[in-house]
Amino acid sequence: MLSTIQSLGILGIDPYPVTVEVNVARAMPAFDIVGLPDAAVRESRERVRSVLSNCGYPFPDGRIVVNLAPADVKKAGSLYDLPILVGLLAAQGLLPENAPLADSAFIGEVSLSGGLRRVCGVLPMLLGAAGTGMRRAFIPAANAAEASAARGIEVFPVGSVGELVSHLRGECALPPAGTARFGGGPQPPLPDFADVKGQGPAKRALEVAAAGGHNLLMIGAPGTGKSMLAKRLPSILPDMTEEESIETTKIYSACGMLAPDLPLIRTRPFRAPHHTVSPAGLCGGGPVPRPGEVSLAHNGVLFLDELPEFQRQAMEALRQPLEDGVLTIARAGARLSYPSRFMLVAAMNPCPCGYFGHPTRRCSCPPSRVSSYLGRVSGPLLDRIDLNVEVSPVTYAQLSARRDAEESSAAVRLRVQAARERQNARYAGTGVSCNARLDPSMLAEACPLDPEAERMLGLVFEKLGLSGRAYDRILKVARTIADLDGSERIRAPHLSEAVQYRSLDRKYWNRG
């Protein structure tokens, strides 16, 4: 008595087909699962045995061997409960021969009472299932919301084992899941820029960063509003495209962090890990590497407050995803790549006490301690940050001003959205989504300078001793400022503002 049931597995966020072969032989009773199962998979034996008994189905009397193929890939999680159970029913002849098993995928954890529980990674598995020849999938009803975003496969949410068996026997058909429509529906409220009093230069820098997808570093004394500004950045970012929404939702689904009633993530993520986070927590890792904070911030914002307090190893690990938009984790048993294209927004004090360069308060740190503190942030990491801005203390007049005197996020967002639309039209068909992602080979065509701006850039390059990367980033930022101004060519004022955003690191780090 042999049955074959199809299922799916997931490595990182990449799905792969899994064939569940169930063989029942006349021999001494035993129940073995082979094919590199982890502890959760091996425990399926007891869950499936109890479910069959509690739901009134017979349990085979003999030697049961369940093989999970491919046998050389480690299987993890509880999602194989359902295909093993269906395989045992089919091996005993309890399902009709015309039951839709051959081109169906079964995914789900079963409770001892026969209900199906939510599992992780359903959306990426379903998105990859159509390419494996599967026409339909049976999943837990708790995963129905995210499953509605899948295309090219018919999905049936299942509440209990009894419902599934009735459907497979043709007694009572299960209704398929609906298809989620991208867009529409209320968005969660976000903190507003109008809450921030003063800080005009910092707000302008955040607007430029949002318009071009640039990385940003804010330096200032404690209490000047650096964290408050960063938390309001998502409120001025442009809308996510459907492709970006699906990419981000796949990551959260694989991590089990998707809300049960949320088919697609439509608000750009904002991740703010504490400075005690480990390199693995920031970039991903573990025995079976899982996504870290940089991947959870994909298509959104990664905010690192108190940047010098992060471990040096963790900060340096950011260099690859900042440059390539992908993080690769290599382990002895696997090599996985996670999408990690995010905006890095960092904040830091200028010294350990926080008052180096303060207009009214005296810094208590000796020069050697200030230098040591600033030296925790490496030059290569600074070179990958497009904009540096100083956040100065606010005055009493600014703090006591009325809230409606400050510009709202909605007004700023209109300018950001218009600048992004210009970029989308300019880079259509190239795979580039914003100015920050421009390839060096595209700079000459995408960033035309007028004669005065070109002379200025030559003088700046020689005087400041810029690196090639800094030169590229100044051009990209200037291109964004010109887009905000509605100009096709980069003029001298646009370039001058872009250069100012690259000069602050020389004030503190004294880089010539």
Side-chain angles (χ1 to χ4, degrees), residues 221 224 354-362 393:
T224 53
Y355 298 106
F356 177 71
H358 196 278
T360 59
R361 300 191 61 169
R362 182 179 177 183

Side-chain angles (χ1 to χ4, degrees), residues 1-7 19-24 31 48 52 58-60 64-68 80-95 99 101 104-107 110 161 164-165 168:
M1 293 186 292
L2 173 66
S3 66
T4 301
I5 305 297
Q6 301 301 322
S7 188
T19 301
V20 180
E21 300 172 321
V22 179
N23 186 71
V24 180
F31 194 166
V48 170
L52 290 174
F59 188 79
I64 303 169
V65 177
V66 175
N67 179 45
L68 306 178
Y80 300 109
D81 288 4
L82 189 60
I84 291 173
L85 186 146
V86 172
L88 285 172
L89 293 175
Q92 298 179 85
L94 298 178
L95 298 178
L101 301 180
S104 300
F106 295 84
I107 304 166
V110 297
V161 171
L164 177 60
V165 173
L168 296 176

